[in-house]
Amino acid sequence: MQISTLGPEGTDSEYASHHYSSIKKLNSKVKLFPSYKEAADSLVKGESDYFLMASAAADFSEFVFKLPYRGKIEISDAFVFPTADIVLIKRKGVQKVKTVLCYAGNAGLVAKEKYKIVDCKSKSLAPTECLQGKADAALTSIRLFDKDKFHLVENFGSFKMSWNVFRKI
């Protein structure tokens, strides 16, 4: 039994997948992918039994209503599981934050009139890309806040999130 979802390691998607496996007593392996699209493709190809996705994902409707997924996969279950605290962090040495890396699904937390938003595939990748100089700050999970490399700007807290479990039709 395998659940495919968004990686890298440490994403809320990974934690939600393990939670789902536990409450349903599936004893499943969680396979992480660089994008929800690749995770969904794994289900379509028969390489996974389930595909798990957050309802807040920017491209959620693509997997429900549009080709190539329409008629191939469907939502078979849903549940609520909280995210880790979402935090805005800045690289050490940055005085004034001008640019913020964030995943489109969470971009609403960042004041667009105050910062230039730089798109990132996952909030779990944001700290690494921030350290590479792609932006001054990153919107990410508290799990990835490294006090040796970043300063905390703001903690937005945890959010109750609905998660969708897809299966192949």
Side-chain angles (χ1 to χ4, degrees), residues 86-101 110 114-115 126-142 144-156:
I86 298 174
V87 294
L88 180 61
I89 57 175
K90 69 176 183 175
R91 276 192 328 267
K92 285 203 170 175
V94 170
Q95 297 302 314
K96 181 172 169 62
V97 175
K98 295 177 185 170
T99 56
V100 177
L101 271 160
V110 179
K114 191 173 177 183
Y115 307 112
T128 301
E129 292 184 9
C130 185
L131 289 173
Q132 293 168 350
K134 293 183 179 178
D136 303 322
L139 191 66
T140 191
S141 168
I142 191 77
L144 301 172
F145 171 43
D146 182 339
K147 293 177 184 174
D148 294 330
K149 298 175 183 173
F150 296 98
H151 292 289
L152 181 65
V153 176
E154 187 171 353
N155 185 334
F156 296 97

Side-chain angles (χ1 to χ4, degrees), residues 106-126:
N106 303 122
L109 293 172
V110 179
K112 291 176 181 76
E113 63 280 354
K114 191 173 177 183
Y115 307 112
K116 179 182 181 226
I117 305 301
V118 179
D119 191 42
C120 188
K121 282 186 180 180
S122 163
K123 69 179 183 278
S124 293
L125 294 173

Side-chain angles (χ1 to χ4, degrees), residues 7-41:
E9 194 173 322
T11 60
D12 288 322
S13 297
E14 177 190 19
Y15 281 82
S17 295
H18 287 297
H19 174 74
Y20 183 75
S21 179
S22 174
I23 62 172
K24 294 296 183 175
K25 298 179 180 18
L26 296 178
N27 192 28
S28 60
K29 176 185 171 199
V30 175
K31 181 148 184 187
L32 305 175
F33 290 85
S35 69
Y36 277 132
K37 180 188 179 321
E38 290 168 82
D41 289 346

